[in-house]
Amino acid sequence: MFRNIAIILTILLALGIGYVTILLPGKVEADTNVVTGEVLPDISPEAQKLHDSLFIADLHGDTLLWKRSILDAADRGHIDLPRMQAGNMGLQIFSSVTKTPRGQNYDSNTDETDNITLLVMGQLQPVRTWNSLTERSLYHAEKLRRAVSGSKGEMVFIKTPADLEGLIGRRNIKGKGIGVLFSVEGLHNLEGRSENLDRLYDAGMRMAGITHFFDNELGGSMHGAEKGGLTSFGREIIRRMEAKGIIVDIAHSSHASVKEILAMARRPVVSSHGGVQATCDVNRNLTDAEIRGVAATGGVVGIGYWDGAICDTSPAAIAAAIKHVRDLVGIDHVALGSDFDGAVTTGFDVSQVAQVTQALLDAGFTESEIRAVMGANTVRVLMQGLVPQG
């Protein structure tokens, strides 16, 4: 009898482990990265023709966090290669998320808890990633490189302006090819060690947010407990980022940190994903003064597609936020920053990004303005910002 009980317990344990490692990660993502299914406007022939001629760039997607291949068509989430191709994407920036607090919210979080550790273990990622935020980002960089290698030339890893120029030239000739650039969401993954910036740069990191949902060793988060300014370590790392050609991302940084970053910036700064308080009065969105500050650096504000960024999920709400930035500082300083696969609910996935083109046309944007917003502004910032300074 005891032998039979042992066998049953072993089977139940195996089934439990199988559920946690095989089925549960996919269910968590399916429940977290949602497309509303709302009825979307029809895409006019004019909008589709224009969309098909664009170089489209998105400043922020979190697909690397989840247990699925970017190469394969998925029935969950927002981004994969087939859907990027269907949406005519030219460049997708993929971010590494390494730590998020339990009970995550926009108002106040500490660094005392972490949701990602259980996700990492449940996905059976390498053991080195279980207790190291640096290793988690290095693993995400490896994952992206493997996807590029397995894409049969359909994706290109972007590290330099020459890489980007080559991609654009190829698309002009062959009409296909998607660039991917590796970013990081919160430099707590440095684990307080400046030498880890070099390790991440060598792995391909070319953009980084200073904080995420909690204050860290570099500075305050918009959602942290203290929401303070930059630390001396944070100022040191920002100077090193600018020298190496790593673009500074102020998304999620506290208002105090943003003010200091913009004041010290010598190169274009981005807000990779979010909104503007003028159209969506949420604390994680930028004030008009901050938008002017980003523009003064030559940078761009990436507009997101989810409720916390635009107080809606409609294409028209995205266009309204873009219009505000254009009217405030000019068309050269606004771009796309979807936050696809970032634990958000959106009205559409990357295959349907023509909805933004249609919404901009409906809002009265000219063709040249739409080209700027949909990709040209991001290309300009990358061309300027990726060049190391001697």
Side-chain angles (χ1 to χ4, degrees), residues 28-104:
V28 169
E29 188 196 359
D31 292 342
T32 302
N33 296 316
V34 178
V35 176
T36 62
E38 63 194 79
V39 177
L40 296 167
D42 291 335
I43 305 299
S44 69
E46 176 192 8
Q48 190 64 60
K49 181 178 179 180
L50 173 58
H51 187 81
D52 291 344
S53 73
L54 299 175
F55 183 92
I56 303 163
D58 180 5
L59 286 163
H60 193 90
D62 289 327
T63 315
L64 298 172
L65 181 61
W66 307 103
K67 189 179 181 181
R68 58 182 172 88
S69 171
I70 294 170
L71 299 178
D72 299 328
D75 59 0
R76 63 179 187 266
H78 302 125
I79 299 175
D80 53 51
L81 178 57
R83 282 185 283 182
M84 286 194 290
Q85 292 170 325
N88 190 36
M89 291 301 298
L91 174 71
Q92 178 66 55
I93 297 179
F94 287 103
S95 185
S96 170
V97 178
T98 58
K99 182 175 178 177
T100 61
R102 294 196 194 106
Q104 175 178 302

Side-chain angles (χ1 to χ4, degrees), residues 53 86 129 157 230 283 293 336:
S53 73
T129 68
F157 206 122
L230 294 175
N283 75 320
L336 306 182

Side-chain angles (χ1 to χ4, degrees), residues 11-25 67 122 124:
I11 292 172
L12 290 174
L13 179 61
L15 289 173
I17 293 173
Y19 175 74
V20 168
T21 60
I22 298 172
L23 299 178
L24 187 58
K67 189 179 181 181
L124 295 181

Side-chain angles (χ1 to χ4, degrees), residues 262 265-270 291-301 332-334 377-378 380-382 384-385:
L262 295 176
R266 298 171 180 168
R267 310 196 73 176
V269 169
V270 307
I291 297 167
R292 291 188 184 99
V294 171
T297 73
V300 291
V301 174
D332 292 338
H333 303 293
V334 62
N377 290 340
T378 294
R380 183 195 73 248
V381 169
L382 293 179
Q384 295 172 357

